Amino acid sequence: MTTIAPHDPAARELFDEMARWPIYDPHSHIDAHRPAARNLDEVLGYHYYTELAHSAGMPAAKVAPELSPAVRVRNLAENLHSLDNTIQYSWLIEIARTFHGFADDRITPDNIGTLYDRADHSQDGAAWDQKVWDRTNLEAIFLTNDFDDPLDGWDTRRYVPCLRTDDLVLKLHEPSTVERLRRSTGLDVQDYATLREAIGVLFGRFVAKGARACAISLPPDFVPHKGTPLRGVTPVRRALHQMDLRPDEHDEIRKVVFWTIAEFCAEFRLPFDLMIGPIRNVYPAGVAGGRDLFDRRVSLHDYRELFNHFSGVTFPVSTLSPDAGPELVAYSWIFPNVVPLGHWWYSNIPAYIADDLRARLQAVPKSKVVGYYSDAYKLEFVLPKFNMFRRVLAETLAAECLRGQGWSADRALELAKMVLIDNPRRVFRREA
Amino acid sequence: MTTIAPHDPAARELFDEMARWPIYDPHSHIDAHRPAARNLDEVLGYHYYTELAHSAGMPAAKVAPELSPAVRVRNLAENLHSLDNTIQYSWLIEIARTFHGFADDRITPDNIGTLYDRADHSQDGAAWDQKVWDRTNLEAIFLTNDFDDPLDGWDTRRYVPCLRTDDLVLKLHEPSTVERLRRSTGLDVQDYATLREAIGVLFGRFVAKGARACAISLPPDFVPHKGTPLRGVTPVRRALHQMDLRPDEHDEIRKVVFWTIAEFCAEFRLPFDLMIGPIRNVYPAGVAGGRDLFDRRVSLHDYRELFNHFSGVTFPVSTLSPDAGPELVAYSWIFPNVVPLGHWWYSNIPAYIADDLRARLQAVPKSKVVGYYSDAYKLEFVLPKFNMFRRVLAETLAAECLRGQGWSADRALELAKMVLIDNPRRVFRREA
Amino acid sequence: MTTIAPHDPAARELFDEMARWPIYDPHSHIDAHRPAARNLDEVLGYHYYTELAHSAGMPAAKVAPELSPAVRVRNLAENLHSLDNTIQYSWLIEIARTFHGFADDRITPDNIGTLYDRADHSQDGAAWDQKVWDRTNLEAIFLTNDFDDPLDGWDTRRYVPCLRTDDLVLKLHEPSTVERLRRSTGLDVQDYATLREAIGVLFGRFVAKGARACAISLPPDFVPHKGTPLRGVTPVRRALHQMDLRPDEHDEIRKVVFWTIAEFCAEFRLPFDLMIGPIRNVYPAGVAGGRDLFDRRVSLHDYRELFNHFSGVTFPVSTLSPDAGPELVAYSWIFPNVVPLGHWWYSNIPAYIADDLRARLQAVPKSKVVGYYSDAYKLEFVLPKFNMFRRVLAETLAAECLRGQGWSADRALELAKMVLIDNPRRVFRREA
């Protein structure tokens, strides 16, 4: 058996049915040009493994980019024992079993060589991508595309574009941002007016290419509000010309660009995924991808003006700090355009998923609960992550709905299907 | 069967016993002149249903006050399917089964007509109130009375008055407040001295009429402290004459009036219910009753001066943000006059009740845990809400006390009875 | 049977095995000269019982120091019934059964006399200490020593010294602090330079005597950062001479002394236990030890500079506010030198332990999870507190690892042993 099913028979029955369904994955970091891992290094290089091994004492140099893939993998294999308790390790085992015929309980320096060879698909190219896609039973997976991504060369109904706007909002003052913006739009961006025009061009291109969402990750101290155009114009112009900026000018720029993007989401009828909470580079000496953390003192109350103003924009929201979960339940319960979206990063472990999911299923209209996304960088991770969520969902439904409310299994599965498939399909559809 | 009993046999046994006990409900919004619902619109008009349906996409106009009750009910029935997963929906089904002989699993446009007819008690008046009262096995239920409520025309031992002081503290500057205060006390309220005198009159009247508590809901940014009389006198006078107020003056007024009310609670030996957390009108476009939310960044540490100063006043405390629950456990564990009171509003779902209740039963002296209140607007809701709590209580006792500590069922039931009945009776009694 | 084992058979099997292991207790307040309780008053005098009884209505005078031990015990016994639901009461029963042959279910005014007599070991001295040590199967227990403790007169491999630095950081301005510092170091501490020298002397002495940790408890508003030496020098000098200090000077002193201590932890390779959260004397009218609480608005993000700067210092961290637990999971997941340490005080009840432990086991490398410490003042408490933790650990492993992941019992026990024994041994070892 390649995945673990729930132990409780009622939950197992629900899980077994869900395991037959296709997966609709509304947020990932997949590269559509290289979706599956060509070798084990592309699996083990996932920041969860490098950061946990580093946290357990492995020097960052052991996974440095200049090392060969085989050496990096071997170095990690020597350190995996210290994290074989984690849920992230369980994804790894499930990948090894499902995709590479691995049969042992743990990955060790002794069996890593064989596993490395079995996971070598450097010669298989797109055929391997297709194999992983089929085995995963993927229906569609959303990407996270830089604003200057040409979006060419793949089937955008399967690998669905999503416009990531972090750079525009948070790094407008960096020379490369405006340079990329000018190049990708062909516009001579010099001030707020031309910036706005350029952003409109980006939205037009993304939508024409089949984008179904706009997305951004925001630090906990960000408070969106509708600035006066006059206040924002000068700082934006100064940023576009790399002039020195005061902290309040940086903040004004973030606000005015963010609000402008929300306006385009309204105009183009794109859901705007808000990933709220990360602070970048809290631990600069960490491994790549393992440097960001958060400050738990954050509240969705800071987003009230946004949610009220853009009543026509759907905001699928993920919050990073696990203890902020109940607030998202309350805001989704009241605001029609706030939708709880999956379980993110530091909140993406069964302990926190179970608590949040139970509350969402008890208090948010079922048509609004968007169950899960993989956040994956390689296709292989989609299945074990979704299986983790499907286990928690099955156990929650068995406890709360079957035993707790006397529901039939069919009624519970109807709810599961909404949460897993129907809702993401509907929330992220774009009507003509 | 009209209510769902716990699936676990040990919990079911405890629940079955609790279900035979009378209900003592220390907080509601019942109108003693019209306690039970005369028709289904008065049940479905509860903000939980209108706000959840609105959150799921139903336009607010579908439940506008100018529509007829039958049309509002039909409109809601067409939208209930999207929230049939929620715990609030389960209350509705239990009401329909218990009080209206409903036998289906869900309320739909197909069966709503029959249910509407069965729930029509417009001709039955007080007889229906009594029937619901008896079926619920109510012993007493607390009201939430405006300060100018004449408190006439009902048995105040059953429908127990409670002085709500929100308007005095938070809306003193509004012309209607001072107008109502002058009219209801017959005093020419013009300054702090006469305001204080008037509040004393209100307390005297309420206590004479059998009031057992004073209550207030407070926003998360409110920090009570004993102001100097001199500082508060001028802003209060300005408020009473509707003069323009600065934000710091508003804050000073809230503080001085709140503190004055706490002084009268001490003098009249009334418990002072603190409902901490709501921010009003966060979502102005919401349906009536569905516009308030909260900011989770709140701490009981802000109330330390109050709890210390009024050591003779009992403060039954409810907090709105679910993640603030553990702090209430700690403050109730230390302060003799802080009592954890029920599970409120956005915290009133089994997921959060279970977590809070387990902690309260493990760490707060049992004589201080006031289990539950219905917060109901119509009598029909008391039973399903209390049954929800009794289920969670039974499951918690079965897991933690029977299986976890080896207690007998009798010992667990003794604790349950304190939490459900003995404690609210004692905390809210008034000795001569 | 003197302790309660888990009801679930799989958990019970794990627990029964753990119950045979020695206990390694990395944080307590034991007095090495009088480790076990000489009489029942020294057990019942634990602040948990006096504060809970006081919270339930017992006047503080009933446990005043001027009363005789027998009277204090009898007074408490009359009030224990109101807290016989709490987990703290269950420790008491387990102590009475394990160490004093108590056979009843509850401690009452009727049986307190017999129990008092049985618990009288005033004549047994060190023999009784040894008996409790053996019955507990203790391997080592850490103390919390004042900086001027001579550390003489006991086996420091069993009763391991730990340098408590609260007074130096938080009370440097009090005359007694500098007086004790001068006396214990023989240095004429007059300014920052001599203060630093004196702290170095303390570290040298503690390490020579076998200390394995430095520890401090910090209020929620403390934000460590590396001040400029110049800024701190003057306030420190003023504090050492008891001159008046502004709030910002107090804060500067806390920061510079704390940072200096962290530098010595680095130099002497001592782990630095951070106990984050308490605010002292929030409830001044409380009983001794029952006056401190917290403000839940605290974040480990405030500690980022410390964790980054002292990458060579291990920081075992306990947070006081239960809802801050998930943040500690995330920071331990990323920072190699941040280690989640036990479950502290207001977080030390099964409800919160279970939630935190489940998350730590799912997301923190297993080699970093330091399971538990007793925080005990008397040896008798070590066993029931550790048994409480071992029950939660057994139940968590049975649910999450055996049933949830299909692990063998041996693999689960291997993890349990790391968490309970191997990790504290390794984290707090000092290599030559």
Side-chain angles (χ1 to χ4, degrees):
Chain A
M1 206 172 39
T2 56
T3 191
I4 305 282
H7 186 265
D8 166 55
R12 176 183 287 256
E13 195 184 327
L14 299 177
F15 176 83
D16 286 347
E17 175 60 24
M18 291 180 213
R20 284 190 276 272
W21 298 346
I23 287 175
Y24 191 102
D25 185 348
H27 178 72
S28 84
H29 297 269
I30 295 290
D31 173 359
H33 297 296
R34 272 179 79 97
R38 297 295 199 260
N39 59 44
L40 195 62
D41 182 52
E42 292 187 7
V43 170
L44 278 172
Y46 197 18
H47 68 82
Y48 286 99
Y49 305 114
T50 54
E51 76 200 13
L52 284 165
H54 181 52
S55 176
M58 183 194 73
K62 292 280 188 184
V63 290
E66 57 272 21
L67 298 177
S68 77
V71 170
R72 268 198 304 266
V73 162
R74 178 160 294 279
N75 287 345
L76 262 173
E78 282 166 5
N79 287 277
L80 285 177
H81 62 90
S82 56
L83 49 111
D84 68 13
N85 58 301
T86 63
I87 195 70
Q88 295 87 355
Y89 185 87
S90 79
W91 307 336
L92 189 59
I93 296 293
E94 185 166 342
I95 288 172
R97 290 183 182 165
T98 305
F99 297 107
H100 310 306
F102 186 73
D104 295 347
D105 273 350
R106 310 197 213 185
I107 297 171
T108 68
D110 285 342
N111 60 27
I112 191 71
T114 313
L115 181 58
Y116 188 83
D117 293 342
R118 283 169 170 276
D120 179 10
H121 291 278
S122 51
Q123 307 306 316
D124 305 331
W128 178 246
D129 299 336
Q130 186 62 45
K131 204 158 180 179
V132 178
W133 181 281
D134 291 342
R135 178 67 185 78
T136 302
N137 197 7
L138 255 178
E139 175 177 320
I141 187 165
F142 284 41
L143 314 176
T144 298
N145 304 91
D146 285 334
F147 67 78
D148 55 344
D149 189 321
L151 306 175
D152 280 333
W154 70 80
D155 178 350
T156 58
R157 285 163 309 178
R158 303 177 97 199
Y159 294 98
V160 182
C162 166
L163 172 57
R164 179 175 208 167
T165 55
D166 296 48
D167 289 348
L168 295 169
V169 171
L170 304 172
K171 299 185 179 173
L172 190 68
H173 57 287
E174 295 186 4
S176 64
T177 306
V178 60
E179 197 43 56
R180 289 164 54 208
L181 190 57
R182 287 173 186 149
R183 201 169 47 231
S184 63
T185 62
L187 292 171
D188 185 26
V189 177
Q190 295 288 351
D191 53 16
Y192 177 71
T194 45
L195 172 68
R196 188 182 179 87
E197 196 184 343
I199 294 174
V201 169
L202 299 178
F203 268 81
R205 173 187 306 146
F206 267 77
V207 165
K209 294 281 189 175
R212 304 270 191 92
C214 179
I216 191 167
S217 72
L218 294 161
D221 68 342
F222 181 72
V223 180
H225 79 85
K226 180 173 170 33
T228 58
L230 282 178
R231 266 184 74 186
V233 160
T234 302
V236 164
R237 187 170 39 74
R238 292 173 57 86
L240 292 170
H241 293 86
Q242 284 87 53
M243 298 171 75
D244 285 342
L245 296 166
R246 298 186 310 266
D248 66 298
E249 288 178 310
H250 273 295
D251 195 48
E252 195 60 38
I253 292 162
R254 298 195 306 186
K255 280 175 177 159
V256 70
V257 179
F258 176 81
W259 203 267
T260 301
I261 287 168
E263 288 172 337
F264 280 111
C265 286
E267 184 181 328
F268 284 87
R269 282 168 298 107
L270 272 191
F272 195 176
D273 294 349
L274 305 180
M275 325 288 278
I276 299 171
I279 305 179
R280 304 297 172 179
N281 220 29
V282 171
Y283 175 45
V287 299
R291 296 168 188 148
D292 306 337
L293 278 157
F294 55 87
D295 186 316
R296 59 186 286 264
R297 294 166 294 194
V298 61
S299 173
L300 287 173
H301 188 244
D302 286 345
Y303 285 74
R304 64 195 181 281
E305 186 182 345
L306 181 77
F307 297 152
N308 276 298
H309 186 89
F310 293 102
S311 62
V313 175
T314 300
F315 293 98
V317 176
S318 289
T319 49
L320 188 54
S321 187
D323 52 308
E327 211 184 45
L328 180 54
V329 169
Y331 277 70
S332 305
W333 160 345
I334 290 298
F335 277 101
N337 54 336
V338 175
V339 165
L341 177 65
H343 305 270
W344 190 34
W345 198 347
Y346 294 111
S347 291
N348 185 29
I349 64 172
Y352 302 136
I353 294 173
D355 286 350
D356 276 341
L357 183 62
R358 191 161 57 130
R360 290 179 191 177
L361 293 181
Q362 286 175 356
V364 178
K366 68 183 180 191
S367 57
K368 297 184 67 185
V369 179
V370 178
Y372 196 68
Y373 54 84
S374 73
D375 216 13
Y377 286 76
K378 289 293 167 187
L379 277 191
E380 283 85 347
F381 284 94
V382 176
L383 187 60
K385 287 181 153 193
F386 265 86
N387 277 340
M388 172 185 73
F389 178 75
R390 293 194 283 209
R391 272 194 299 276
V392 179
L393 178 58
E395 287 162 354
T396 305
L397 291 170
E400 301 297 317
C401 298
L402 301 194
R403 289 191 287 273
Q405 295 283 339
W407 288 16
S408 67
D410 280 350
R411 183 167 172 184
L413 286 168
E414 181 193 311
L415 176 53
K417 195 158 160 296
M418 290 193 79
V419 164
L420 283 165
I421 306 178
D422 301 343
N423 290 344
R425 273 186 193 151
R426 194 190 64 255
V427 165
F428 294 104
R429 81 170 177 277
R430 285 196 67 258
E431 294 153 301
Chain B
M1 206 174 37
T2 56
T3 191
I4 304 282
H7 186 265
D8 166 54
R12 175 183 289 256
E13 195 185 326
L14 299 177
F15 177 84
D16 287 347
E17 176 60 25
M18 292 180 211
R20 284 190 277 272
W21 298 346
I23 287 175
Y24 191 102
D25 185 348
H27 179 71
S28 83
H29 297 269
I30 294 291
D31 173 358
H33 297 295
R34 271 180 79 97
R38 297 298 199 259
N39 58 44
L40 195 61
D41 181 51
E42 293 186 7
V43 170
L44 278 172
Y46 198 17
H47 68 81
Y48 286 100
Y49 305 115
T50 54
E51 77 200 11
L52 283 166
H54 181 52
S55 177
M58 183 194 74
K62 292 280 187 183
V63 289
E66 57 270 22
L67 298 177
S68 77
V71 169
R72 268 198 304 266
V73 163
R74 178 159 293 279
N75 287 344
L76 263 174
E78 281 166 5
N79 287 278
L80 285 178
H81 62 91
S82 57
L83 50 111
D84 67 14
N85 58 300
T86 64
I87 195 68
Q88 295 87 356
Y89 185 88
S90 78
W91 306 337
L92 189 61
I93 295 292
E94 185 166 342
I95 287 172
R97 287 183 185 167
T98 305
F99 297 107
H100 309 306
F102 186 72
D104 295 347
D105 273 350
R106 308 197 214 186
I107 296 170
T108 67
D110 285 343
N111 60 28
I112 190 70
T114 312
L115 181 58
Y116 188 85
D117 294 342
R118 280 166 171 278
D120 178 10
H121 290 280
S122 51
Q123 306 307 315
D124 304 331
W128 178 245
D129 300 334
Q130 187 61 46
K131 202 158 182 178
V132 177
W133 181 280
D134 292 341
R135 178 68 186 75
T136 302
N137 197 9
L138 254 178
E139 174 178 321
I141 187 164
F142 283 41
L143 314 176
T144 298
N145 305 89
D146 286 333
F147 67 79
D148 55 343
D149 189 321
L151 306 175
D152 279 334
W154 69 83
D155 179 350
T156 58
R157 287 164 308 178
R158 304 177 96 199
Y159 293 97
V160 182
C162 167
L163 172 56
R164 178 173 210 169
T165 55
D166 297 47
D167 289 349
L168 295 170
V169 172
L170 304 172
K171 298 185 179 172
L172 189 69
H173 57 286
E174 295 186 6
S176 64
T177 305
V178 61
E179 197 44 56
R180 288 164 53 208
L181 190 57
R182 288 171 185 152
R183 201 168 46 228
S184 62
T185 62
L187 291 172
D188 184 25
V189 176
Q190 295 288 350
D191 53 15
Y192 176 71
T194 44
L195 172 68
R196 187 181 179 87
E197 195 184 343
I199 294 174
V201 169
L202 299 179
F203 268 81
R205 173 186 305 148
F206 267 76
V207 165
K209 294 279 190 176
R212 304 272 191 90
C214 179
I216 191 167
S217 72
L218 293 161
D221 68 342
F222 181 72
V223 181
H225 80 84
K226 179 173 169 38
T228 57
L230 282 178
R231 264 184 76 186
V233 160
T234 303
V236 163
R237 188 172 37 75
R238 294 174 57 85
L240 292 170
H241 293 86
Q242 284 87 52
M243 296 170 75
D244 285 343
L245 297 166
R246 298 186 310 267
D248 66 299
E249 288 179 309
H250 273 295
D251 195 48
E252 196 60 38
I253 292 162
R254 298 195 306 186
K255 281 174 178 160
V256 71
V257 179
F258 177 81
W259 204 266
T260 302
I261 288 169
E263 288 172 339
F264 279 111
C265 286
E267 183 180 330
F268 284 87
R269 283 167 299 107
L270 272 192
F272 196 177
D273 294 348
L274 305 180
M275 325 288 278
I276 299 172
I279 306 178
R280 304 296 172 181
N281 220 29
V282 172
Y283 175 45
V287 298
R291 296 168 189 149
D292 306 337
L293 278 156
F294 55 86
D295 186 316
R296 58 186 286 264
R297 294 165 296 194
V298 61
S299 173
L300 287 173
H301 188 243
D302 286 345
Y303 285 75
R304 66 195 179 280
E305 186 182 344
L306 180 77
F307 298 153
N308 276 298
H309 185 90
F310 293 102
S311 61
V313 174
T314 300
F315 294 99
V317 176
S318 289
T319 48
L320 188 53
S321 187
D323 52 310
E327 211 184 44
L328 179 53
V329 170
Y331 277 70
S332 306
W333 161 344
I334 291 298
F335 277 101
N337 55 335
V338 175
V339 165
L341 176 66
H343 305 271
W344 189 34
W345 198 347
Y346 293 112
S347 290
N348 184 30
I349 65 172
Y352 302 137
I353 294 172
D355 286 350
D356 276 340
L357 182 62
R358 192 162 57 129
R360 292 179 190 176
L361 293 180
Q362 286 175 356
V364 178
K366 69 183 179 190
S367 58
K368 296 184 67 184
V369 179
V370 178
Y372 196 69
Y373 54 82
S374 72
D375 215 14
Y377 285 76
K378 289 293 167 186
L379 278 191
E380 283 84 347
F381 283 94
V382 175
L383 187 60
K385 286 182 153 193
F386 265 86
N387 277 339
M388 172 185 73
F389 178 75
R390 294 195 282 209
R391 271 193 300 275
V392 178
L393 178 58
E395 287 162 354
T396 305
L397 291 170
E400 302 296 318
C401 298
L402 302 193
R403 289 190 289 273
Q405 295 283 339
W407 288 17
S408 68
D410 280 350
R411 184 168 173 185
L413 286 168
E414 181 194 310
L415 176 53
K417 194 159 159 297
M418 290 193 80
V419 163
L420 282 165
I421 305 178
D422 301 343
N423 290 344
R425 274 187 193 150
R426 193 190 66 256
V427 165
F428 293 104
R429 81 173 177 277
R430 284 195 68 257
E431 295 152 302
Chain C
M1 207 174 37
T2 56
T3 191
I4 304 282
H7 185 265
D8 167 53
R12 175 182 288 256
E13 195 185 326
L14 299 177
F15 176 84
D16 287 347
E17 176 59 26
M18 292 180 213
R20 283 190 279 270
W21 298 347
I23 286 176
Y24 192 102
D25 185 349
H27 178 72
S28 84
H29 298 268
I30 295 290
D31 174 0
H33 297 295
R34 272 180 77 99
R38 296 296 199 260
N39 59 43
L40 195 62
D41 182 51
E42 293 186 6
V43 170
L44 278 172
Y46 197 18
H47 68 82
Y48 286 99
Y49 306 115
T50 54
E51 76 200 13
L52 284 165
H54 181 52
S55 176
M58 182 193 75
K62 292 280 187 183
V63 290
E66 57 270 22
L67 298 177
S68 77
V71 169
R72 267 198 304 267
V73 163
R74 177 159 295 281
N75 287 344
L76 262 174
E78 282 166 5
N79 286 277
L80 285 177
H81 62 90
S82 57
L83 50 110
D84 68 14
N85 58 300
T86 63
I87 194 70
Q88 295 88 354
Y89 184 88
S90 79
W91 307 335
L92 189 60
I93 295 292
E94 185 166 342
I95 287 172
R97 289 182 183 168
T98 305
F99 297 107
H100 310 306
F102 186 73
D104 295 348
D105 274 350
R106 309 196 213 187
I107 297 171
T108 67
D110 286 343
N111 59 26
I112 191 70
T114 313
L115 180 57
Y116 188 83
D117 294 342
R118 283 167 170 275
D120 178 9
H121 291 278
S122 50
Q123 306 307 315
D124 304 331
W128 178 245
D129 300 335
Q130 187 61 45
K131 202 159 181 177
V132 177
W133 180 280
D134 292 341
R135 177 68 186 78
T136 301
N137 197 8
L138 254 178
E139 174 177 321
I141 186 164
F142 284 40
L143 314 175
T144 299
N145 304 90
D146 285 334
F147 66 80
D148 55 345
D149 189 320
L151 306 176
D152 279 334
W154 70 81
D155 179 350
T156 58
R157 286 163 308 177
R158 304 177 97 198
Y159 294 98
V160 182
C162 167
L163 172 57
R164 178 175 210 169
T165 55
D166 297 47
D167 289 349
L168 295 170
V169 172
L170 304 173
K171 299 185 178 171
L172 190 68
H173 57 286
E174 296 187 2
S176 64
T177 306
V178 61
E179 198 44 57
R180 290 164 52 209
L181 190 57
R182 289 172 184 150
R183 201 168 45 229
S184 62
T185 62
L187 290 172
D188 184 25
V189 176
Q190 294 287 352
D191 52 15
Y192 176 70
T194 46
L195 172 67
R196 187 182 179 86
E197 196 184 342
I199 294 174
V201 169
L202 300 178
F203 268 81
R205 174 187 305 146
F206 267 76
V207 165
K209 294 279 189 177
R212 305 269 191 90
C214 179
I216 191 167
S217 72
L218 294 161
D221 68 342
F222 181 71
V223 181
H225 80 87
K226 181 175 169 36
T228 58
L230 283 176
R231 266 184 74 185
V233 160
T234 303
V236 163
R237 188 171 38 75
R238 293 174 57 87
L240 292 170
H241 293 86
Q242 285 86 54
M243 297 171 74
D244 286 342
L245 296 166
R246 297 186 311 266
D248 65 299
E249 287 178 310
H250 273 295
D251 194 49
E252 196 60 36
I253 291 161
R254 301 195 303 186
K255 280 174 179 160
V256 71
V257 179
F258 177 81
W259 203 266
T260 301
I261 288 169
E263 288 172 338
F264 280 111
C265 286
E267 184 180 328
F268 285 86
R269 283 169 297 109
L270 272 190
F272 196 177
D273 295 348
L274 305 180
M275 325 288 278
I276 300 172
I279 305 178
R280 303 296 172 181
N281 220 29
V282 171
Y283 174 46
V287 299
R291 296 168 189 148
D292 306 336
L293 278 158
F294 55 88
D295 185 316
R296 57 186 288 264
R297 293 165 295 194
V298 61
S299 174
L300 288 172
H301 188 244
D302 286 345
Y303 286 75
R304 65 194 180 282
E305 187 182 344
L306 180 77
F307 298 151
N308 276 298
H309 185 89
F310 293 103
S311 60
V313 175
T314 300
F315 294 99
V317 176
S318 289
T319 48
L320 188 54
S321 187
D323 52 310
E327 212 185 43
L328 180 53
V329 169
Y331 277 70
S332 305
W333 161 345
I334 290 299
F335 277 100
N337 55 335
V338 175
V339 165
L341 177 66
H343 304 271
W344 189 33
W345 198 347
Y346 294 112
S347 290
N348 185 29
I349 64 172
Y352 302 137
I353 294 172
D355 286 350
D356 276 340
L357 182 62
R358 191 161 57 129
R360 291 179 191 177
L361 293 181
Q362 286 174 356
V364 178
K366 68 183 179 190
S367 58
K368 297 184 66 183
V369 179
V370 179
Y372 196 68
Y373 54 83
S374 73
D375 216 14
Y377 286 76
K378 289 293 168 188
L379 277 191
E380 284 84 346
F381 283 94
V382 175
L383 188 61
K385 286 181 155 194
F386 265 87
N387 277 340
M388 171 185 74
F389 178 74
R390 294 194 282 209
R391 271 195 299 276
V392 178
L393 179 57
E395 287 162 353
T396 305
L397 291 171
E400 302 296 317
C401 298
L402 302 193
R403 290 191 287 274
Q405 296 283 338
W407 288 17
S408 67
D410 280 350
R411 183 169 174 183
L413 286 168
E414 180 193 310
L415 176 54
K417 195 159 159 296
M418 291 194 79
V419 163
L420 283 165
I421 305 178
D422 301 342
N423 290 344
R425 275 187 194 151
R426 195 191 63 256
V427 165
F428 294 104
R429 81 171 176 277
R430 284 196 67 256
E431 295 152 302

